[in-house]
Amino acid sequence: MKKRVAILISGGGSNMIRLVQSMQRDPDHPATPCLVLSNRADAGGLAKARAMGVPTAVVDHRPFGADRQAFETELMMPLMDAKPDIVCLAGFMRVLTGEFVDYWRGQMLNIHPSLLPKYKGLHTHARALAAGDREHGCTVHRVTAALDDGPLLGQAHVPVLQDDTPETLAARVLEAEHQLYPAVLRRFAAGDTSFLDI
Ligand code: GRF
């Protein structure tokens, strides 16, 4: 029985697209996409998910203001209906409460655009450039209550070039994300939580 994967997005969903493609293009893949869920009705990834035949849903976070619990109670409805075994955060830009994270019992993954534990939080590419790092990259990790802090499942490394800007570096890292996340998801869905370094 294939593992059912729900993917949460907030924007264009380039990582979601690669995850869905990796599952749909390989009949032997241990997982199948069951839902693409966004907190923004205008997320470009929703139309792309529908075009790939993946069910979608939207729960707008704005009506709930600072009440994260109320938002997450609503967010849980389409998620529970989809019955996922794995939840992938892929450009999902809302901080989730410990209760929500704990409910998914270590079955929730996230991709972060830095070589964690370096540069948790935002503006990772500018911070790597400001630090003069010669190497940068991305990390897939299991989600815990602490932001960008869970057990690491994989990392991809990219060089920092002399004339890099945050934008050029972000683009190089995003390409690496598109390789790393599908590779880690496939292993994770097969029960392999060993660290992948590419
Ligand atoms: C990516 O940089 C990812 O690392 C971060 O969100 C950004 C956008 O991702 N979590 P996507 O193109 O929406 O998948």
Side-chain angles (χ1 to χ4, degrees), residues 52-135:
M52 292 189 285
V54 182
T56 62
V58 175
V59 177
D60 189 337
H61 65 278
R62 291 172 300 183
F64 301 97
D67 189 344
R68 291 187 189 281
Q69 277 81 1
F71 166 59
E72 291 174 357
T73 300
E74 281 302 303
L75 198 68
M76 269 298 213
M77 313 297 272
L79 262 180
M80 299 301 286
D81 288 348
K83 299 181 178 56
D85 303 294
I86 299 169
V87 178
C88 288
L89 306 181
F92 187 69
M93 304 310 275
R94 305 301 297 169
V95 174
L96 296 165
T97 65
E99 293 80 8
F100 186 91
V101 167
D102 289 347
Y103 181 87
W104 295 102
R105 293 177 298 280
Q107 294 301 104
M108 186 184 294
L109 309 184
N110 181 46
I111 189 157
H112 180 74
S114 78
L115 295 174
L116 291 173
K118 293 181 83 170
Y119 313 129
K120 297 177 183 178
L122 299 173
H123 312 303
T124 63
H125 312 300
R127 291 157 66 190
L129 288 172
D133 292 353
R134 308 308 303 147
E135 187 184 59

Side-chain angles (χ1 to χ4, degrees), residues 4 17 50 70 72 99 105 115 117 130 144 156 198:
R4 295 169 58 84
I17 291 166
R50 285 193 287 270
E72 291 174 357
E99 293 80 8
R105 293 177 298 280
L115 295 174
T144 57
I198 61 174

